[in-house]
């Protein structure tokens, strides 16, 4: 039980206590860690990620079907994609600081894997798979509704912020929107970018991100929020 003690804090944060702790540990175990420990492909979280992805698609699809009765199939598909894409899932996981509990190999740790969206989002899907295997469909549903299918309108706005800002501005102005990366900091494997968005010569938003695209998205989101005030 000693090797699982640190994971008890994660259980508190997600509100679920595992009957079999090995599911939780496997969900947090990245392939780089499993390779270093010679645990084989079954020792990392990739198989649980595969399972969790399927469970997430089913539950998120049902939720959107029930809560957005006027949406077409195409609209539902696009909305679901925005809610279960890599950046959004990584954002969800960071709300309860799941990245702190990842088991990474030394190389992956050294190159910033704990902050990488792909690593964090994959682990979140693995966590869903682990909850499903340990507690069943209803426990997985509860977790998904609480941490992923929450605040849907705000997440949708964030995911589509550049497109929505463009549409909003074009409806009322002929001025050009442009994005400028004003700074970047950190080593190559762990950079943070700062972007500003301008309407003509006037700055209307600013944002940070782990990629230029994410920084621009955050800048657009701030611009949308400011225009709504």
């Amino acid at each position: 039980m000693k090797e699982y003690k640190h994971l008890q804090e994660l259980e508190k944060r997600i509100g679920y206590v595992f009957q079999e702790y090995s599911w939780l540990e496997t969900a947090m175990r990245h392939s780089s860690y499993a390779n270093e420990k010679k645990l084989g492909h079954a020792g990392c979280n990739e198989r649980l990620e595969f399972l969790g992805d399927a469970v997430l698609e089913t539950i998120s699809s049902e939720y959107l079907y029930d809560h957005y009765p006027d949406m077409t199939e195409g609209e539902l598909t696009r909305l679901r994609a925005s809610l279960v894409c890599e950046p959004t899932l990584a954002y969800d996981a960071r709300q309860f600081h799941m990245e702190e509990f990842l088991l990474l190999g030394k190389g992956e740790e050294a190159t910033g894997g704990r902050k990488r969206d792909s690593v964090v989002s994959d682990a979140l899907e693995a966590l869903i798979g682990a909850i499903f295997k340990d507690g069943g469909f209803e426990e997985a549903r509860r977790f998904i509704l609480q941490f992923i299918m929450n605040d849907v309108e705000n997440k949708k706005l964030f995911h589509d912020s550049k497109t929505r800002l463009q549409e909003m501005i074009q409806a009322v102005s002929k001025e050009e929107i442009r994005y400028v990366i004003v700074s970047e900091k950190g080593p190559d494997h762990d950079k943070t970018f700062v972007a500003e968005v301008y309407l003509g010569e006037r700055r209307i938003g600013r944002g940070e991100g782990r990629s230029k695209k994410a920084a621009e998205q955050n800048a657009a989101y701030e611009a949308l929020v400011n225009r709504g005030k």
Side-chain angles (χ1 to χ4, degrees):
M1 189 71 178
K2 183 179 179 182
E3 63 269 32
Y4 302 130
K5 190 172 182 180
H6 70 291
L7 295 177
Q8 291 177 358
E9 176 59 30
L10 179 56
E11 286 184 309
K12 291 178 184 177
R13 295 182 188 186
I14 65 175
Y16 178 74
V17 176
F18 278 80
Q19 302 173 61
E20 178 52 67
Y21 258 77
S22 60
W23 288 121
L24 179 55
E25 186 182 44
T26 302
M28 294 298 101
R29 194 185 291 140
H30 188 258
S31 57
S32 61
Y33 181 92
N35 289 338
E36 282 188 8
K37 301 296 183 180
K38 296 182 170 51
L39 299 175
H41 70 273
C44 73
N45 64 10
E46 291 177 351
R47 283 169 51 85
L48 279 176
E49 175 200 339
F50 163 80
L51 179 61
D53 175 67
V55 174
L56 174 58
E57 180 170 338
T58 299
I59 293 173
S60 61
S61 297
E62 180 190 37
Y63 177 90
L64 295 177
Y65 180 89
D66 290 342
H67 285 77
Y68 295 88
D70 295 329
M71 280 192 174
T72 65
E73 177 192 4
E75 290 171 331
L76 288 169
T77 299
R78 287 190 292 274
L79 178 53
R80 182 183 64 195
S82 73
L83 295 171
V84 301
C85 68
E86 184 178 288
T88 309
L89 290 181
Y91 169 85
D92 293 335
R94 292 184 180 114
Q95 298 310 291
F96 54 92
H97 302 288
M98 190 194 71
E99 72 279 4
E100 296 175 4
F101 301 91
L102 299 180
L103 298 169
L104 304 176
K106 294 177 181 177
E108 187 68 28
E109 184 77 75
T111 56
R114 197 172 298 276
K115 296 179 180 179
R116 196 169 294 130
D117 282 358
S118 59
V119 172
V120 177
S121 64
D122 287 351
L124 180 59
E125 290 182 329
L127 179 58
I128 292 169
I131 293 172
F132 174 75
K133 290 297 290 181
D134 188 75
F137 192 79
E138 288 307 315
E139 285 295 342
R141 182 200 299 274
R142 181 200 61 78
F143 175 84
I144 290 169
L145 295 183
Q146 181 177 353
F147 292 105
I148 298 174
M149 303 307 295
N150 62 329
D151 201 15
V152 170
E153 291 304 316
N154 189 51
K155 290 176 182 177
K156 181 171 65 171
L157 175 65
F158 171 75
H159 184 268
D160 295 334
S161 55
K162 288 183 71 174
T163 301
R164 287 170 178 265
L165 180 63
Q166 183 74 33
E167 292 172 346
M168 181 182 291
I169 296 299
Q170 285 180 340
V172 298
S173 174
K174 292 184 178 180
E175 286 188 280
E176 178 187 355
I177 295 177
R178 58 190 177 90
Y179 293 87
V180 180
I181 301 298
V182 295
S183 71
E184 54 183 83
K185 52 191 176 184
D188 288 341
H189 66 268
D190 189 22
K191 281 190 177 299
T192 297
F193 297 90
V194 178
E196 294 179 346
V197 57
Y198 288 82
L199 179 59
E201 298 302 315
R202 181 166 57 91
R203 190 182 82 184
I204 58 175
R206 180 183 174 91
E208 293 188 5
R210 296 288 176 181
S211 67
K212 292 179 181 179
K213 182 178 179 181
E216 290 175 355
Q217 195 80 292
N218 281 320
Y221 178 72
E222 181 179 274
L224 283 169
V225 171
N226 288 340
R227 291 180 73 84
K229 291 180 178 179

